[in-house]
Amino acid sequence: MTTPTPRRLRRPDWLPAAAFWTVFGLLALLFVAPLGWLLLASVKTSAEFAQTPPTLLPSSPSLENYRRLLDAGLARNVLNSALVTLGTVVAASVVSVLAGYGFARFRFRFRGVLFLIVLSTLMIPFQSIVPSLYVILDDLNLTNSLAGLVLVYTVFAIPFGIFTMRAAFAAVPAAVEEAAIVDGAGPFATLRRVLLPIVAPGVATVALYAFFTAWNEFLAALIFTTRQEQYTLPVVLANLQSGAGGTLNWGVLETGAVVSAVPCVVIFLILQRYYVAGLTGGAVKE
Amino acid sequence: MTSAAPARSRRHRRGPMARRQRLGLLFVAPAVLLVLGMFILPVIVTGVMSFYDWSLLGQRRFVGLANYERLAHDTSFRDSLGFTTVYTVIATAALLVVGMVLASAVRHRRRGVGLLRTAYVVPVVIGFATASYVTLWLLDDRIGIIPDLLRRLGVVDGPVSVFSSFPSALAVVVVLVVWKTVGLTMLLLMTGMQAISKDYYEAAQVDGASRLRTYFKITLPLLRPTIGLVLILTVIGSYLAFDQFFILTQGGPDNSTIPVVYLIYRAGFIDFNLGYSAAMSIALMVILLILTSIQLLLTRTREEA
């Protein structure tokens, strides 16, 4: 490989672009196709959904599957998911902002140790503490409760959140803050009125991360809730799939999958800038 | 917030930032208490539980190392660990290769490339459970579009049941995992690639190096820290797989696709034996800590070399 390669014959300008788009454009279609196909199928009638072989397009679009989903009592579970997610987003954002501010801007005793404790949670997966987490939640009467799930998901989300917010606060020039302090603003007022608008993109990242965590989480929800009224969407669908007490209704199951996927996709499409920046922000420091 | 006014003169004397430092403890307190109570404490309790015969329904009895002795001789745990390792190796390799290809494709600015990036990342934000239900439907022998397509194309004849053989069940899960998470791998690698200084590439161009050579001599070596990070993330993520196996393969065929987390779940919440479940958890923790340390050491020494 030491001899320089001779210049190749000139290819037409459009050829590489066409080849690129054929390969990677088709691949991109393949990535979104399952979700698009699912969305289309969800408006088939239940009969058409269960038809062999499957039809390409819904022959008479109807919202029957969505109505059946409501009839099966799943509105309750959608609401559970929404409440748990909202609670987690708020709690994780508030806790992460406060801690990020504290760790970035204040010197206090045990600061290093406390930060290390928070970071250590990134080294140990929550999946390996579910047995004891269950016992502790049970002692606190927080199993079978949405509040319990919010508590757990908040703890899942804050290590990333604190990391992100600490970096966001550290990037704000000290002069900005000092000016506010000299003007007589207390630390909370400084945080709320002066700093928060500046670190808002970081808060968006943390909120999005918390959203996707809480909305999609399965294992903890499966273990910490045992009554259908408390199930979140992924768990109630798993129950539907195992067909407890009846046959599997594909239309309802997959429409449930649409309901759990759509909010994530829509929110991602609107706010992807923050999500992508947050995920890749800490990745490349070297 | 006018309450801060009386302290003003003192603050001026010692500099505006100095006096408020103890307040920091107040700001970090909620986070620290949450982590201590809902994470550090459970880790300790898991350790304690692993020395007990601890039934989910209340009885508990100290049994010393009995759970660990059982673990050492438990063939299903050994099989599960072996399967999880095989799955981790395959999934990690697949994610890294596909991720590199995609990252190389979308790293440069060009018209429409943002659309491609978005398309590849969309599956990252939906849940694993949700993605699994979709897969289940797409692959259903009776109503799924993929078996139907395969039959129409003449690839197969007759019924398609991907979850009845180990290789095809594993292949389905790996494809699902790549589809669902490679967008994140791609983003990380792409960001790493963009952080490499353009000077290297210009120098290579001046020297007349081929694209392939540039890739192997410049891009890959300088990307090592990022690749190391991606490896740690994917290896840990794969060792903790649960949703896709619980929903898609349900451990089958013949208990050949049972990841360790599934076993932890089953011991604790199907067999109601929390003590044994905790012992497996501790084993998993130790394995992951060792793996992470090895990977950190490897990437560090390579950087220094």
Side-chain angles (χ1 to χ4, degrees), chain A residues 1-2 4-5 16-17 20-21 23-25 27-28 30-32 34-35 37-38 41 49-54 56 95 98-99 101-103 105-109 114 117-118 120-137 140 151-152 154-155 158-159 162 177-178 181-191 193 212 216-219 222-224 233-235 237-238 241 250 253-254 257-258 260-261 264-265 268-269 272 275-276 279-280 283-284 286, chain B residues 1 4-5 8 11-12 16-17 20-28 30-32 34-43 45-46 49 54 56 60 101-102 105-106 110-113 115-116 118-130 133-134 136-138 140-145 148 152 178-179 182-184 187-188 191-192 195 207-210 212-213 225-226 229 236 240 242-243 246-248 250 261 264-265 269 274 277-278 281-282 284-285 288-289 292 296 303:
Chain A
M1 282 287 282
T2 43
T5 43
F20 176 85
W21 278 99
V23 173
F24 291 101
L27 204 58
L30 222 57
F31 265 73
V32 292
L35 296 172
W37 171 253
L38 180 71
F49 207 109
Q51 199 173 306
T52 316
L56 198 61
V95 172
L98 291 177
Y101 183 43
F103 281 124
R105 282 295 201 244
F106 295 83
R107 302 268 167 280
F108 48 89
R109 268 162 79 88
L114 294 180
I117 287 175
V118 172
S120 71
T121 57
L122 291 171
M123 299 284 286
I124 297 167
F126 85 88
Q127 283 92 336
S128 60
I129 58 166
V130 281
S132 58
L133 206 47
Y134 177 86
V135 171
I136 291 170
L137 283 177
L140 296 170
L151 191 63
V152 171
T154 301
V155 179
I158 56 175
I162 294 171
E177 215 178 330
E178 276 161 9
I181 296 162
V182 169
D183 285 348
F188 279 100
T190 311
L191 175 61
R193 300 218 191 95
F212 295 133
N216 291 325
E217 207 283 330
F218 181 64
L219 177 65
L222 180 74
I223 291 172
F224 300 146
L233 203 45
V235 180
L237 292 181
Q241 177 212 342
W250 280 106
L253 179 64
E254 298 306 324
V258 171
S260 40
C264 298
V265 174
F268 168 71
L269 291 179
Q272 56 173 313
Y275 188 61
V276 170
L279 285 184
T280 55
V284 188
E286 270 83 6
Chain B
M1 273 292 179
R8 215 171 149 182
R11 194 183 296 150
H12 273 255
M17 301 293 281
R20 315 179 320 141
Q21 299 307 343
R22 213 168 305 152
L23 264 171
L25 210 53
L26 213 64
F27 281 106
V28 304
V32 169
L34 271 174
V35 168
L36 281 177
M38 301 303 291
F39 203 92
I40 305 297
L41 179 67
V43 170
V45 172
T46 305
M49 280 168 78
W54 192 310
L56 186 62
R60 50 199 72 162
V101 171
L102 294 185
V106 301
R110 63 203 288 177
R111 266 174 85 91
V113 85
L115 272 178
L116 293 184
T118 303
Y120 300 144
V121 181
V122 158
V124 171
V125 301
I126 66 170
F128 246 120
T130 311
Y133 308 125
V134 180
L136 207 61
W137 164 65
L138 290 171
D140 184 75
D141 184 44
R142 214 168 49 75
I143 67 163
I145 185 151
D148 184 53
R152 275 170 206 263
V178 169
W179 174 70
V182 77
L184 177 59
L187 284 179
L188 294 173
T191 315
D207 290 349
S210 71
L212 211 62
R213 198 174 153 76
T226 314
L229 174 82
I236 292 180
L240 298 173
F242 175 77
D243 306 7
F246 184 83
I247 292 166
L248 284 180
Q250 300 178 346
V261 175
I264 293 174
Y265 166 77
F269 301 94
L274 283 175
S277 181
S281 300
I282 295 289
L284 180 62
M285 261 185 241
L288 285 179
L289 281 176
T292 315
L296 282 176
E303 259 173 76

Side-chain angles (χ1 to χ4, degrees), chain A residues 30-253:
Chain A
L30 222 57
F31 265 73
V32 292
L35 296 172
W37 171 253
L38 180 71
L39 198 59
L40 271 179
S42 72
V43 294
K44 289 177 180 177
T45 60
S46 272
E48 193 184 354
F49 207 109
Q51 199 173 306
T52 316
T55 50
L56 198 61
L57 294 171
S59 59
S60 52
S62 95
L63 293 178
E64 187 197 324
N65 287 316
Y66 291 90
R67 204 164 46 237
R68 275 166 167 265
L69 194 131
L70 291 177
D71 290 344
L74 263 58
R76 173 70 192 258
N77 307 101
V78 177
L79 183 67
N80 287 347
S81 275
L83 289 174
V84 167
T85 304
L86 186 70
T88 306
V89 167
V90 172
S93 303
V94 170
V95 172
S96 299
V97 164
L98 291 177
Y101 183 43
F103 281 124
R105 282 295 201 244
F106 295 83
R107 302 268 167 280
F108 48 89
R109 268 162 79 88
F110 309 120
R111 191 177 69 130
V113 179
L114 294 180
F115 190 65
L116 215 63
I117 287 175
V118 172
L119 270 194
S120 71
T121 57
L122 291 171
M123 299 284 286
I124 297 167
F126 85 88
Q127 283 92 336
S128 60
I129 58 166
V130 281
S132 58
L133 206 47
Y134 177 86
V135 171
I136 291 170
L137 283 177
D138 206 40
D139 281 347
L140 296 170
N141 273 324
L142 283 173
T143 48
N144 275 316
S145 103
L146 299 183
L149 285 182
V150 169
L151 191 63
V152 171
Y153 294 163
T154 301
V155 179
F156 292 172
I158 56 175
F160 172 82
I162 294 171
F163 211 59
T164 305
M165 289 320 302
R166 192 181 75 135
F169 282 113
V172 180
V176 172
E177 215 178 330
E178 276 161 9
I181 296 162
V182 169
D183 285 348
F188 279 100
T190 311
L191 175 61
R192 213 161 53 85
R193 300 218 191 95
V194 182
L195 291 174
L196 219 45
I198 304 176
V199 297
V203 182
T205 300
V206 175
L208 278 175
Y209 182 82
F211 180 97
F212 295 133
T213 301
W215 184 265
N216 291 325
E217 207 283 330
F218 181 64
L219 177 65
L222 180 74
I223 291 172
F224 300 146
T225 57
T226 51
R227 288 202 308 266
Q228 187 174 339
E229 315 93 76
Q230 308 294 353
Y231 287 162
T232 53
L233 203 45
V235 180
V236 81
L237 292 181
N239 250 40
L240 215 60
Q241 177 212 342
S242 60
T247 48
L248 170 62
N249 185 320
W250 280 106
V252 177
L253 179 64

